[in-house]
Amino acid sequence: MESWELNSLDVQPHQPQVLDSESEGRAIVIQLPAGEKLSEHQVHERAWLLVTDGEIEVSDSDGGSVTGSTGLLAIFDPNERHEVTAKSNARLLLVLSP
């Protein structure tokens, strides 16, 4: 078993930390400063995005959006376009799986 205390990791803005990467998927921690964005993008895998600290707004290409803080979980289908904006300094766990 491996484990991490996500909010205690030394993750710097613009330097995502890959916790694990296997054929079954990847787990990545992202530190997103207030006001910054993960501009509209897509990944080829299914994506689960969990806010572990802070507040974000997530927008999809259909014009839908949701704002949430610690505990918000957003799930994206493969190739679904989305954008993430940090409303405050935010720590995110991104899990990708084929």
Side-chain angles (χ1 to χ4, degrees), residues 2 19 21 25 28 35 40 57 66 73 75 88-89:
E2 293 184 68
L19 301 178
S21 182
I28 304 161
E40 186 178 28
E57 179 179 10
V66 63
L73 174 64
I75 301 173
S88 66
N89 289 338

Side-chain angles (χ1 to χ4, degrees), residues 44-55:
H44 298 290
E45 305 95 338
R46 178 166 306 283
W48 289 265
L49 182 68
L50 175 66
V51 179
T52 66
D53 192 35
E55 182 179 17

Side-chain angles (χ1 to χ4, degrees), residues 31-95:
Q31 185 68 35
L32 193 58
E36 292 198 14
K37 295 181 179 188
L38 298 175
S39 297
E40 186 178 28
H41 64 283
Q42 68 188 41
V43 293
H44 298 290
E45 305 95 338
R46 178 166 306 283
W48 289 265
L49 182 68
L50 175 66
V51 179
T52 66
D53 192 35
E55 182 179 17
I56 65 169
E57 179 179 10
V58 182
S59 304
D60 64 22
S61 59
D62 294 332
S65 70
V66 63
T67 300
S69 58
T70 302
L72 173 71
L73 174 64
I75 301 173
F76 305 97
D77 289 331
N79 299 311
E80 182 178 351
R81 298 194 65 77
H82 57 279
E83 179 175 89
V84 178
T85 303
K87 298 296 192 179
S88 66
N89 289 338
R91 170 106 7 145
L92 311 171
L93 173 64
L94 177 64
V95 178

Side-chain angles (χ1 to χ4, degrees), residues 6-28:
L6 299 179
N7 289 342
S8 297
L9 295 173
D10 183 21
V11 179
Q12 299 301 310
H14 313 290
Q15 296 179 2
Q17 184 173 338
V18 177
L19 301 178
D20 192 46
S21 182
E22 304 290 337
S23 61
E24 299 90 355
R26 292 179 284 158
I28 304 161

